[in-house]
Amino acid sequence: MENPAEARADERARIVADLRRAAEGYRSYIAFVEETLDPEASSPMSENLPIVRAEAEMLENAVKVAEGDRRELARLIPPVLQTDEDIAALATSPEDAEAHRRIRDHAVRTQE
């Protein structure tokens, strides 16, 4: 019988691998379009590249989150919903933490 902690770790590893493969697929598609299409010509494929790039970046960020990157996850949380723990993960200095708190507090006040 498999240890529950090991089972969760195995499942997380599978998720990370799948997210990586998905991001790699998006990046391969981008490379294909850039290598194949005339940059001067307009086409639906080339027009969609900014969206595809954003999706690839989101998948790469999801990999970081799945691997436990607290900072990457905290970046995704709107300031109005950030906790002190989120701010601690984001801050690069005490001054930066204070700036994040002020932004959060302002966002909360404007929501009221």
Side-chain angles (χ1 to χ4, degrees), residues 46-93:
S46 62
E47 290 171 8
N48 287 332
L49 279 182
I51 295 167
V52 176
R53 281 190 185 95
E55 290 170 339
E57 185 176 337
M58 286 293 278
L59 286 165
E60 290 162 353
N61 290 340
V63 167
K64 293 175 186 176
V65 170
E67 290 176 328
D69 183 339
R70 183 78 183 99
R71 179 175 171 75
E72 197 59 46
L73 181 58
R75 278 186 54 241
L76 300 173
I77 300 170
V80 71
L81 300 176
Q82 288 177 351
T83 65
D84 287 336
E85 184 180 78
D86 298 327
I87 290 170
L90 289 168
T92 57
S93 69

Side-chain angles (χ1 to χ4, degrees), residues 26-44:
Y26 275 74
R27 294 292 180 198
S28 293
Y29 175 79
I30 292 166
F32 167 78
V33 170
E34 290 176 339
E35 292 169 6
T36 307
L37 297 180
D38 178 358
E40 302 299 319
S42 178
S43 78

